Amino acid sequence: MKVLVTGGTGFIGSHTIVELYAAGMDVVNVDNLSNSEAFINDRVNAITGKHSTFINADITNEDNLRNIFRNHSIDAVIHFAAFKSVNESVEKPLEYYKNNIGATITLLKIMDEFKVTQLVFSSSCTVYGQPDELPVTEDSPIKEAATPYGYTKQVCEQIIMDFAHANAGFYSVILRYFNPVGAHNSGTIGELPRGVPNNLGPYITQTAAGIREVLKIFGNDYDTPDGTCVRDFIHVCDLAKAHVAALQKLIKEKPTQSVLVYNVGTGKGNTVLEVVKAFEKATGISVNYTITGRREGDIEKIWANAAKAEKELHWKAERSLEEAMLHAWLWEKNYRNIL
Ligand code: UDP
């Protein structure tokens, strides 16, 4: 089984490649390193003891993709490659639409040319906006997206559904991720944001490492247990394993529907302050934080009903928030050479 992973050098992609090898699959990784570093591939090889094929290429270019499919006998695709900053997407909408939607269209076209019929797509719980009822199920309504990034995920889901409708024999699993945190327990791969992090996890670890002076917690006047926002924080290795489960569903079973959608979360909500406390408990390091005003575009609370994935993919999240924080800290320390 040879899996083409697009964006396999990124945070979720690199952890997924580790799990694909653990499940006995082979990997071709295509990534243009627009938001990741090539050394991550060496680290993944060191963890797995395998040598994944790495191709530095932009997949919005048809010829690049065609060459990959021509040179490798690809059985299935996991498509991560996309721009992912919510804030940046507001500043650069055209780049986000062109890259994220363009890559998905090109990929489907070339998969069709080479008769590759199995796709796992990385989507996001951002498609639910602020849900009226919690936890969210896969049937919860899709809300108007707050940002171009959110729209790209909604549009790509729709494109995949329309493509599957028009092409009998094509199957896809769409995974709607909640908030990935943590790192591989070796501490050798992890989240590697460029510049000032937008996301909570790396902001906490960089503050603990002394790179950022203070973590700003955006708002404590929400209708939540301690007033800070609630999210469903999932260990990235659990999230990675969901991709293997999704592929196995496509390979082993003949799915009853051509496109299956799953929430990938823990099923539990935690506040931002609880994440900080979990980090402090796991590491013994206190995080310098301050409460500031709300961040524009943040939703108040969301967490997953992950029962469908458990029932149909035989997958569930197993690692705790504290473990995730500990592993994220191992990675930050390792990367910064902190003893
Ligand atoms: N957050 C925060 N300070 C930060 C980064 C994030 O308080 O420096 C909060 C943010 O307001 C949200 C939660 O942490 O409530 C998760 O934010 P993140 O950007 O990691 O993910 P999102 O849920 O927005 O995709």
Side-chain angles (χ1 to χ4, degrees), residues 25-45:
M25 299 182 190
D26 197 7
V27 175
V28 174
N29 169 15
V30 56
D31 195 308
N32 67 355
L33 303 177
S34 65
N35 193 27
S36 59
E37 304 293 335
F39 79 85
I40 292 290
N41 293 314
D42 304 328
R43 303 282 181 90
V44 168
N45 290 341

Side-chain angles (χ1 to χ4, degrees), residues 83 85 88-89 92-100 152:
F83 292 155
S85 164
E88 190 184 53
S89 78
K92 301 176 178 171
L94 298 185
E95 287 180 32
Y96 271 68
Y97 287 121
K98 184 162 187 248
N99 187 58
N100 294 8
T152 67

